[in-house]
Amino acid sequence: MPKILVIYRRELHFYFASPWSYTIAGAFWLLAGFFFVSMLLGPQGVIAQALLRDRLAGDGVPPLDVAYQFLQLFLSLLGTLALFVLPMLSMGLYTGERQRGTLELLATSPVATWAVALGKLLAVLTFFTFMITPLLGWEVIALSTASPPFNLGWLILGHLGLLLLAGAVLSLGMFISSLTESTILAGVLTFGLTLSLWLVDLLTQGWEGTGGDFLQHLSLVKSYNTFVQGILDVSSLGVLLSYIFLGVFLTSQSVESLRRS
Amino acid sequence: MIEVEHLKKTYGTTTGITDVSFSVARGEILGFLGPNGAGKTTTMRILTGYLPADQGEARIDGLEVHEDPMGVRQRIGYLPETPPLYPDMTVADFLLFVAQIKGVSRSEQQQKVAVALERCGLGAKRQVLIRKLSKGFRQRVGIAQAIVHEPPVMILDEPTVGLDPRQIIEVRELIRGLAGDHTIILCSHILPEVSMTCDRVAIIHQGQVVATNTPAGLLSQLEGGVQFNLEVAGDPGLVRQVLTGLEGVQTTTLDHLPSGLITVHLHATAATVGPHAVAALVQAGIAIHEVSRTQATLEDVFLRLTTTEGSPTP
């Protein structure tokens, strides 16, 4: 069996056997469910607003695509929720190995450092996929009755974007987790880093020139939003994939250098 | 099987080890003995490929640890000072995981896990979560993970630390039972452990190997074997003359006691020299008031080697 798969299965076992990860998943489902209902059916929800708009504007305006608008809103919200949830999933990836001394076992086994990192990342990403799967079910059920009929491509693209976003945050979080032995510190630092990458386009909006342009491109929210809007944009895809690659690369560098000290 | 030549490792400004050389033959247990902080763990980490050495070479089964790290890792079972365990896994699952990352082929995995469980006396605990195990059993799981892929070489760093006396005996017996099939390096700062379990001992002090020999050889090499203390009455010149003429006597030192008697400290190569010396003295008409024998222990050797500043003994 390939070594990546061995690491992957061990990590997956860890996530699915740990009460801590179910606590995170439960809180995520609760919040997501609350927003799902209130965005769709609440007094300020998309259906109520569409009705209001129809009543005010009369028959002259084209009908609003409620399904599309709802999905955009809900996916943006999931992105924001993920920002809080993902650091909690990634913070223990390496701090735990260091505390238990099992990093020495991995480092003295015939398995490459990057393979360990990649296996870990895939496992935590699988757990996140498990977390968003029920939401996908809700969406499909709610949107199946939409008129005009709902475009499944948007749905898939939007969730692909969510997974890529998660991959980017988890990968960077994994790197930070390899830097310290304190799980809490890793979580806080990851949250700080993700928040800055999330908001970097807001912070640099006034900046002119290539520097500002470059920083704008680093933004996680900007890349994610193109997916949410149902656009497959190569540069957004590239940004998110680069973060994933960077995280894995930096993790293996940092774990390698742990031995040299 | 294991050859280590002139290893050197510096951490920043502090020196970990300055010059470590030794070799271990196939199937042998080498005790790696030294006070805490002498460089034992550093040496073991270099051997396992965890740390790179600044200078020197280390070969395991003919493979240089820096040139072929993956090959070396496959041939080594390593128990670090704290056993590397995943508390959320059962004993059997954990050993299967280790077998897999060590590259045991799929068809052999279950069988090798079963063998490791059996050898370490973990059969009854196979489905127990590691976090529910007592310290003694955790240490066994630690040893089991080091032997599960049946590596030719095992490196055990302080395997009995923190165990109760009964567990210590069990673990030592387990290690003894592993010798023959495996070449073992046992790191320890506990002397009786090393003298009881190991075929040979390397003593490391301040980053240098200061002696390598069998436990018995080390004693005779450094202490001159056996020492006798005698209290006699008679002519000192005659005493000296009688004793130095005997075979097996290395040194004699004479002291005059206030009572008029003479104490003789006699260093001999073997215990059998004692009766001969006594017989010779009696024959020469010297009255013997007291004879006692003191045998140096490994503790004496160890203390002598690690407390006196001196050149390494050959």
Side-chain angles (χ1 to χ4, degrees), chain A residues 97 100 104 107 109 259-260, chain B residues 45 50-51 73 78 86:
Chain A
E97 302 278 357
R100 287 188 298 263
E104 205 161 345
S109 296
R259 306 181 187 180
R260 314 227 175 288
Chain B
R45 285 185 162 171
Y50 187 71
L51 279 177
R73 289 176 195 184
Y78 178 38
Y86 289 104

Side-chain angles (χ1 to χ4, degrees), chain B residues 269-288:
Chain B
T269 49
T272 50
V273 176
H276 292 301
V278 172
L281 287 171
V282 171
Q283 221 162 33
I286 292 160
I288 300 171

Side-chain angles (χ1 to χ4, degrees), chain A residues 205-227:
Chain A
Q205 228 151 35
W207 293 19
E208 299 289 325
T210 42
D213 253 18
F214 175 73
L215 286 173
Q216 295 260 317
H217 271 98
L218 292 181
S219 165
L220 282 172
V221 73
K222 210 171 158 186
S223 305
Y224 176 51
N225 276 342
T226 59
F227 284 94

Side-chain angles (χ1 to χ4, degrees), chain A residues 2-254:
Chain A
K3 302 281 171 64
I4 293 185
L5 206 62
V6 177
I7 302 287
Y8 171 78
R9 290 203 344 200
R10 205 225 79 78
E11 287 298 314
L12 209 58
H13 167 85
F14 168 78
Y15 279 103
F16 280 99
S18 144
W20 169 237
S21 41
Y22 285 105
T23 312
I24 296 173
F28 179 73
W29 286 330
L30 197 70
L31 284 169
F34 169 75
F35 283 112
F36 183 85
V37 173
S38 68
M39 277 179 175
L40 191 63
L41 306 169
Q44 302 294 318
V46 280
I47 292 178
Q49 283 189 3
L51 286 175
L52 188 68
R53 190 185 125 117
D54 282 356
R55 202 179 314 140
L56 290 178
D59 293 335
V61 289
L64 193 68
D65 190 343
V66 176
Y68 177 63
Q69 207 178 28
F70 168 69
L71 195 64
Q72 268 202 26
L73 276 173
F74 187 59
L75 281 174
S76 300
L77 170 94
L78 286 186
T80 316
L81 270 184
L83 178 67
F84 291 90
V85 168
L86 293 171
M88 286 194 256
L89 289 179
S90 70
M91 63 188 184
L93 276 171
Y94 272 94
T95 55
E97 302 278 357
R98 286 175 72 163
Q99 288 161 4
R100 287 188 298 263
T102 41
L103 196 61
E104 205 161 345
L105 169 67
L106 296 176
T108 54
S109 296
V111 48
T113 317
W114 64 265
V116 175
L118 196 58
K120 280 174 169 287
L121 180 64
L122 289 175
V124 64
L125 200 56
T126 305
F127 188 78
F128 184 71
T129 311
F130 160 74
M131 282 170 63
I132 60 171
T133 309
L135 317 191
L136 192 64
W138 307 344
E139 289 158 23
V140 169
I141 291 167
L143 301 177
S144 60
T145 57
S147 168
F150 183 70
N151 182 342
L152 202 64
W154 283 338
L155 191 75
I156 293 170
L157 207 58
H159 287 84
L160 178 72
L162 189 59
L163 283 183
L164 283 170
L165 172 77
V169 174
L170 292 170
S171 192
L172 294 172
M174 176 167 75
F175 165 57
I176 291 176
S177 156
S178 73
L179 293 176
T180 165
E181 220 166 286
S182 154
T183 310
I184 300 294
L185 183 64
V188 171
L189 286 177
T190 308
F191 179 70
L193 177 72
T194 326
L195 195 66
S196 345
L197 290 175
W198 192 253
L199 300 173
V200 73
D201 65 331
L202 280 182
L203 299 172
T204 58
Q205 228 151 35
W207 293 19
E208 299 289 325
T210 42
D213 253 18
F214 175 73
L215 286 173
Q216 295 260 317
H217 271 98
L218 292 181
S219 165
L220 282 172
V221 73
K222 210 171 158 186
S223 305
Y224 176 51
N225 276 342
T226 59
F227 284 94
V228 170
Q229 284 154 13
I231 306 161
L232 182 58
D233 173 37
V234 179
S235 88
S236 299
L237 185 70
V239 168
L240 293 177
L241 285 176
S242 305
Y243 277 126
I244 295 175
F245 177 78
L246 185 72
V248 173
F249 175 75
L250 289 177
T251 305
S252 49
Q253 290 302 308
S254 129

